[in-house]
Amino acid sequence: MLDTVPAGVETELTRFFAAARLRATDYGEHYVALWDSLEQASSGGKRVRPALVLAAYAGFGGRDQSLVAPVAVSFELLHTAFVIHDDVIDRDLARRGVANIAGRFNDRALTHGAAADQAGVWAVAAAILAGDLALSEAHRALAKLPVDVRTRLRLLDLLDRAVFVSAAGELADVTNSSARHPLTVAEVITTLENKTAVYSFEAPLQAGAVLAGASAEAIRLLGRYGRLVGVAFQLTDDLLGVFGDPVKTGKSVTADLREGKQTALIAHAGGTESWSLIAPYLGKIDLSDEEAERAREHLRACGAKAAAEGLAYDHSRLAIEALDPAVIPAELRASLTELAGAAVNRAR
């Protein structure tokens, strides 16, 4: 159920971008290029959030694909907006080795004769505006749904909460990066839950269930499941950011260490006698591959890797336990159980 997203979602996205690009022609070539870049930024992902919307909707008996598709698209565009803005915050010009919107507009500015500092302004402006446009459409897609007012407002409230909580998580993540001492594990978990789990897992599941008319208890349990499995996913992501295979993940295994990223790994290590051996490597901008490997060795030796893995598996298990058989339909429960396992048993 979660492996593929129906063609209706891709069709809805294609239709949206085609209409927006046509409107953009009235405002010049750069604006058209911005929409081209935004469409590219929204493509190629796993479509996890739309899949969750669709799974919950179908799990509670929803059958109208033309009704659920805009909801699925809304949460995909929300994700696109957050990714774009996150790159701006991190001052990144690429994502997974490919130029992002800022990177493309930086190059575009240079091609059009802009100086380097002006190109940087183009880059940031384009990315911020593109993220804003995606966020606006995420709300508009729900506002236009042909449903009763109560259902529409419940869906908009879910989207609002996702944006509100994620903004708090993003700010905390940026703030945490400048902390002089390791965070506690609880602080790390709270940041992961707020920044990612709510909008990526909790809200899409609840939105699909609301649209299908699920009970309040079912919606509550899906929320608990979503937060727990989202944290499990992010804990695993942070582990892969240090111990993964770059060929499989497409991510550097030194970037998080160079950044001094506050993860569960670091939170655990900070409370051990090995911290003095690990601390010098964190936030070291010119960290070499050899130094990164030494840091990894110390993280293994002090038990940080095992502790973070255990924490991820605990959250996955608790997520599965939240799926009360008396409330969550069997087919949906099976799919979500499989997802919880995949969240922690993956190489990318």
Side-chain angles (χ1 to χ4, degrees), residues 41 45 48 50 68-69 73 76 95-96 119 130 166 206 226 262 271 308 339:
V48 171
V68 71
V73 165
E76 184 63 14
R95 177 165 285 267
R96 295 187 182 278
S166 297
Q206 290 185 320
Q262 295 275 0
L339 175 64

Side-chain angles (χ1 to χ4, degrees), residues 125-254:
I128 291 174
L129 293 170
D132 289 349
L133 290 166
L135 190 57
S136 174
E137 180 59 24
H139 286 83
R140 182 172 175 268
L142 297 185
K144 290 177 61 182
L145 277 180
V147 294
D148 60 272
V149 173
R150 182 172 180 271
T151 299
R152 186 183 299 111
L153 290 177
R154 290 178 72 190
L155 291 170
L156 285 168
D157 281 346
L158 286 173
L159 188 66
D160 173 74
R161 170 174 156 75
V163 174
F164 195 86
V165 174
S166 297
E170 182 69 62
L171 182 61
D173 193 42
V174 173
T175 304
N176 293 345
S177 66
S178 61
R180 295 184 178 182
H181 304 287
L183 302 179
T184 65
V185 172
E187 288 171 328
V188 170
I189 295 301
T190 296
T191 300
L192 294 179
E193 183 177 309
N194 291 346
K195 182 181 177 182
T196 304
V198 169
Y199 97 82
S200 289
F201 294 89
E202 176 189 311
L205 283 168
Q206 290 185 320
V210 164
L211 191 64
S215 69
E217 178 63 4
I219 293 166
R220 183 187 71 80
L221 291 177
L222 287 179
R224 174 168 171 75
Y225 167 89
R227 289 190 299 277
L228 288 164
V229 82
V231 170
F233 187 93
Q234 288 305 121
L235 286 167
T236 303
D237 213 48
D238 287 341
L239 278 160
L240 292 173
V242 176
F243 294 100
D245 180 350
V247 175
K248 294 179 180 178
T249 65
K251 296 169 59 178
S252 165
V253 288
T254 57

Side-chain angles (χ1 to χ4, degrees), residues 5-9 12 54 57-58 62-71 211:
V5 176
V9 172
E12 191 81 14
L54 296 168
Y57 180 68
R63 295 292 178 266
D64 188 345
Q65 292 302 307
S66 66
L67 182 64
V68 71
V71 181
L211 191 64

Side-chain angles (χ1 to χ4, degrees), residues 80-90 127-132 135:
T80 299
F82 284 164
V83 167
I84 294 169
H85 285 164
D86 193 55
D87 281 352
V88 173
I89 291 168
D90 293 340
I128 291 174
L129 293 170
D132 289 349
L135 190 57

Side-chain angles (χ1 to χ4, degrees), residues 292-318:
E293 184 54 39
R294 284 199 291 275
R296 282 190 282 272
E297 290 172 0
H298 292 312
L299 287 168
R300 288 190 190 94
C302 75
K305 181 174 183 289
E309 289 171 341
L311 197 59
Y313 277 96
D314 285 346
H315 278 75
S316 175
R317 173 180 55 78
L318 289 170

Side-chain angles (χ1 to χ4, degrees), residues 6 30-32 43 67 90 100 110 158 197 208 230 234 294 322 327:
H30 296 308
Y31 198 44
V32 174
S43 66
L67 182 64
D90 293 340
N100 57 18
L110 294 173
L158 286 173
Q234 288 305 121
R294 284 199 291 275
V327 180

